């Protein structure tokens, strides 16, 4: 299949590589010329604009930072909707708000195209390994149509329901994640302050009812989990600013649904404080630093 791929960042670049590996022809566009060149060296074709990237393609994939970028890549004069043929499906795998998805889906429909939300979980490791989980919002028929393409980049492709529900699933998962990480950080910092060995505390939590991904895989206390970002100065992993963005999406969506998000709002403020302190690029588990300001973690 001929695919137009726009947004070759930490996630998009390895995803586009996996499409090439699966035998697809891929046109690529990114504002970052170096990111484009790396994909061209791997067999992709460079395009000078989103419009040029989608000429004659059967499918478009966007993997961009936030809703504003997706909107501009789609609707600009040299954007996707200006260059795409009728009946082509646009799959957006960025994490954005469900309301933007609905507005963009309507615009695409007016031009005879279909817009699908298919955000991912699995991080940069999952993107490189081709083991991402896609949460897809689309009609059942369109879901069946896009599934084979997504399986070239992921292991699990989950049907969530109508357009926008993929983002609902993604936002709710990351709401849990942001809250559990802050909770584990608080407990680990308290345990250390009260004098228990953090490694022992980590082992106990991980075989008790407090166990979760934030405790057993990405524990925020350095040294508790050797492979966690906390054990390498919070480098790599899932950035604090990305978590902050996702909690903002959750609290915005909650306003729209007249639904309280008490813990989500509080967690958002914790990551906001980290970001304001210049720690936005550190893994979000670095939030434990708020509880241990005078220590290494
Ligand atoms: P990134 O910042 O590494 O990459 C974004 C890319 O988009 C960059 O290469 C940038 O140059 C490009 N870009 C920005 N504006 C553009 C435009 N107008 N035209 C063309 N290219 C443009 O971000 P990422 O980590 O790859 O994340 C992408 C999306 O995936 C985000 O919505 C993020 O929330 C989501 N996500 C990220 C992770 C993760 O672990 N990094 C995990 C799951 C979901």
């Amino acid at each position: 299949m001929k695919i137009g791929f726009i947004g070759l960042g930490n996630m998009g670049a390895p995803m586009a590589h996996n499409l090439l590996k699966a035998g697809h022809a891929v046109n690529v566009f990114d504002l970052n010329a170096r990111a484009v060149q790396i994909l061209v060296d791997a067999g992709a074709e460079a395009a000078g604009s989103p419009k040029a990237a989608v000429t004659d393609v059967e499918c478009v994939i966007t993997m961009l930072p936030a809703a504003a970028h997706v909107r501009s890549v789609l609707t600009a004069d040299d954007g996707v909707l200006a260059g795409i043929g009728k009946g082509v499906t646009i799959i957006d795998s960025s994490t954005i708000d469900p309301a933007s998805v609905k507005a963009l889906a309507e615009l695409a429909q007016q031009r005879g195209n279909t817009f699908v939300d298919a955000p991912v979980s699995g991080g940069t490791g999952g993107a490189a390994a081709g083991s991402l989980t896609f949460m897809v919002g689309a009609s059942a028929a369109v879901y069946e149509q896009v599934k084979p393409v997504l399986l070239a980049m992921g292991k699990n492709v989950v049907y969530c329901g109508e357009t926008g529900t993929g983002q609902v699933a993604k936002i709710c998962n990351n709401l849990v994640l942001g809250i559990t990480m802050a909770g584990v950080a608080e407990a680990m910092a308290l345990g250390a302050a009260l004098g228990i060995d953090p490694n022992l505390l980590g082992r106990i939590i991980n075989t008790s009812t407090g166990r979760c991904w934030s405790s057993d895989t990405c524990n925020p206390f350095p040294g508790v989990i050797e492979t966690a970002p906390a054990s390498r100065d919070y480098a790599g992993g899932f950035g604090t600013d990305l978590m902050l963005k996702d909690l903002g999406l959750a609290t915005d969506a909650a306003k729209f649904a007249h639904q309280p998000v008490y813990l989500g709002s509080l967690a958002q403020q914790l990551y906001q404080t980290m970001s304001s302190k210049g720690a936005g690029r550190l893994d979000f588990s670095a939030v434990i630093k708020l509880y241990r300001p005078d220590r290494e973690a």
Side-chain angles (χ1 to χ4, degrees):
M1 187 183 273
K2 193 167 178 191
I3 298 171
F5 199 109
I6 299 158
L8 305 169
N10 292 329
M11 296 293 289
M15 289 165 69
H17 270 287
N18 282 329
L19 289 173
L20 287 169
K21 270 193 220 152
H24 295 293
V26 186
N27 292 348
V28 290
F29 176 73
D30 194 291
L31 298 176
N32 177 346
R34 201 170 148 262
V36 170
Q37 190 54 49
I38 292 171
L39 259 296
V40 168
D41 292 345
E45 192 151 323
S49 67
K51 183 179 176 183
V54 302
T55 311
D56 294 333
V57 300
E58 294 152 83
C59 175
V60 178
I61 301 176
T62 50
M63 192 51 168
L64 296 157
H69 307 85
V70 182
R71 202 172 304 118
S72 98
V73 159
L74 257 63
T75 62
D77 289 346
D78 63 351
V80 167
L81 290 174
I84 197 173
K86 287 248 178 301
V88 175
T89 301
I90 304 163
I91 303 171
D92 179 41
S93 284
S94 328
T95 305
I96 68 172
D97 59 291
S100 291
V101 169
K102 292 211 165 133
L104 291 169
E106 229 172 273
L107 272 181
Q109 199 180 17
Q110 285 162 16
R111 310 278 189 116
N113 301 109
T114 308
F115 183 90
V116 175
D117 52 313
V120 300
S121 76
T124 49
S131 62
L132 293 170
T133 293
F134 287 88
M135 296 157 249
V136 184
S139 70
V142 170
Y143 165 72
E144 290 303 333
Q145 184 200 318
V146 299
K147 196 173 168 186
V149 178
L150 300 181
L151 281 171
M153 302 176 284
K155 274 214 176 93
N156 304 302
V157 180
V158 183
Y159 183 56
C160 297
E162 65 178 43
T163 311
T165 53
Q167 295 293 357
V168 172
K170 170 72 185 171
I171 288 169
C172 291
N173 178 71
N174 280 22
L175 174 64
V176 176
L177 181 62
I179 293 168
T180 57
M181 181 56 80
V184 172
E186 191 163 301
M188 292 299 300
L190 176 63
L194 293 174
I196 193 170
D197 171 13
N199 289 306
L200 175 61
L201 178 59
R203 282 209 301 281
I204 292 169
I205 290 174
N206 290 334
T207 51
S208 304
T209 46
R211 186 180 65 82
C212 57
W213 186 88
S214 299
S215 69
D216 74 2
T217 305
C218 194
N219 196 294
F221 206 100
V224 172
I225 303 289
E226 278 312 318
T227 49
S231 298
R232 46 171 198 270
D233 289 332
Y234 303 95
F238 184 58
T240 294
D241 278 343
L242 283 179
M243 175 51 81
L244 182 57
K245 181 192 81 162
D246 290 357
L247 288 172
L249 294 177
T251 52
D252 286 351
K255 262 184 237 153
F256 182 75
H258 304 292
Q259 188 65 25
V261 276
Y262 308 112
L263 299 179
S265 300
L266 184 53
Q268 187 182 7
Q269 291 307 310
L270 295 174
Y271 298 106
Q272 177 67 68
T273 305
M274 286 299 289
S275 185
S276 310
K277 286 170 175 283
R281 295 177 76 90
L282 295 183
D283 182 72
F284 76 120
S285 61
V287 72
I288 197 172
K289 287 173 183 277
L290 293 178
Y291 296 94
R292 297 167 57 77
D294 302 325
R295 322 270 169 79
E296 65 182 84

